[in-house]
Amino acid sequence: MATTIPIAANDLNPAPIEANDEVTSDWDEESIASSTQSLSESIREHVYENGRRYHQKSKDQYMLPTDETELDRLDMVHHMHLELLEGNLCITKFEEGADPANVLDCGCGTGIWALEFGDLHPGSQVIGLDLAPIQPGWTAPNVKFELDDLEKEWTYPKNHFNYIHSRHLIMSIKDWPRYIAQLYSHIAPGGRVELVEHTIDKSYSDDGTLLEESPFNAYWTALRPCYEKLGINWRLHGTHYKHMLEEAGFEDVTIYTLKVPAGGWPRDKKMRRLGSIFAQVASTGVEAYGLGMLTSLGGYSVEEATELVKNSLVPLRDPKVHAYYFEYYITARKHAWEGDTPLHLQS
């Protein structure tokens, strides 16, 4: 896959991102806009706290809001991944005309990935699964959305899906080995899974410009006790997911490690645009991730949590702070039984 963003298999320590020392402001990129589809939801299924809307039935399991601001952010995250993969929806590559018959998108969010995959692969039947009803009321003939909890026992047939896509569930999955075991049970022999996850422990810099006591890292440090109360493992990195996939029985497990700049500080134009998109995501994302947890689990008042969130954004606007975080794409295959015709994939 030709790309100006270096993506190398099993590269656990990507090269440093070169900074553009001539940049004086992080906000000189064009404004990135995204839209969400009109939604059909019942107001009785939501609660309002601290000016944000949360899905009532799943709030104890998923602490992020489900209001329009958050739906816009989720679609922006999808756009950011398209930037990362040069417009591709996933790293797994299918031969032309060889659409995977049955596809599951775990934690589909607004449904944008499932809808675009179904459009690109008309021969696929795509199911988008999520806890909250935040998907559009209309859909394509080969795409449908279902509401369920991925950590409960799956009711889908065993050995059924030819491709399973799972993105950014670090805030949702408490028992990762069990979740991955269910992926293995329900993927068809020869089928593929793709996990996409990111770090939530802290932010990083290669040149020391992001100090450990930075307001951005203070924000992540404050969230750690909240994660632990929710049963979220904030220490997970790419190698942990790779190991769990292998333990579950998957083969050809490959990890792609990418550094995503937290702001428009890189010299490379592509990376600078990517960092600017992330800055837009973070402008509402740090509140989405933190405000509810800090006030309900962290012992913070609304004013204290709001101040912490506000201060955490300051380093992202400083082009002299060369911060980044990690995105991991991990692909794996289930062994094909003898006599089975596996899904044809590009090497």
Side-chain angles (χ1 to χ4, degrees), residues 30-242:
E30 62 184 271
S31 175
I32 312 298
S34 100
S35 61
T36 57
Q37 310 299 334
S38 57
L39 306 172
S40 175
E41 305 174 48
S42 169
I43 193 67
R44 291 171 296 178
E45 294 178 338
H46 296 87
V47 293
Y48 292 80
E49 295 179 3
N50 307 323
R52 302 300 301 266
R53 186 185 72 189
Y54 297 83
H55 184 234
Q56 187 171 25
K57 293 182 180 179
S58 57
K59 188 174 184 298
D60 292 337
Q61 298 167 270
Y62 183 72
M63 296 290 293
L64 275 67
T66 56
D67 52 23
E68 293 296 329
T69 299
E70 177 65 0
L71 300 189
D72 284 343
R73 186 190 73 84
L74 291 175
D75 281 351
M76 184 75 74
V77 169
H78 175 73
H79 175 62
M80 186 181 73
H81 281 276
L82 292 179
E83 287 283 330
L84 276 166
L85 301 183
E86 288 290 327
N88 292 305
L89 289 170
C90 53
I91 277 187
T92 303
K93 305 295 288 184
F94 307 97
E95 289 184 357
E96 187 174 355
D99 296 342
N102 297 298
V103 176
L104 179 65
D105 183 22
C106 298
C108 65
T110 66
I112 190 170
W113 185 94
L115 287 167
E116 291 187 7
F117 191 92
D119 183 59
L120 189 63
H121 299 276
S124 300
Q125 294 297 314
V126 184
I127 296 175
L129 186 66
D130 203 274
L131 273 171
I134 58 174
Q135 303 76 38
W138 58 266
T139 186
N142 63 330
V143 179
K144 67 177 180 178
F145 298 115
E146 299 179 354
L147 301 178
D148 208 342
D149 184 351
L150 285 164
E151 293 211 286
K152 292 182 179 179
E153 194 70 25
W154 292 13
T155 57
Y156 300 115
K158 299 290 182 67
N159 303 304
H160 175 67
F161 294 103
N162 304 99
Y163 179 61
I164 298 180
H165 176 258
S166 172
R167 187 168 74 188
H168 285 192
L169 298 186
I170 184 66
M171 297 292 293
S172 303
I173 301 299
K174 312 301 190 301
D175 189 343
W176 277 95
R178 183 176 185 273
Y179 172 63
I180 290 174
Q182 294 215 84
L183 294 179
Y184 188 84
S185 294
H186 293 273
I187 197 76
R192 295 268 178 164
V193 300
E194 183 167 329
L195 300 185
V196 184
E197 290 300 333
H198 61 90
T199 47
I200 59 168
D201 55 345
K202 65 175 187 176
S203 294
Y204 301 82
S205 70
D206 293 322
D207 56 9
T209 53
L210 179 71
L211 303 178
E212 285 295 323
E213 61 270 22
S214 160
F216 201 34
N217 277 338
Y219 164 84
W220 293 116
T221 300
L223 287 180
R224 291 173 186 172
C226 304
Y227 294 149
E228 291 172 357
K229 289 178 182 179
L230 286 170
I232 294 170
N233 187 350
W234 54 269
R235 297 177 175 86
L236 289 176
H237 281 248
T239 52
H240 298 113
Y241 299 108
K242 184 175 186 289

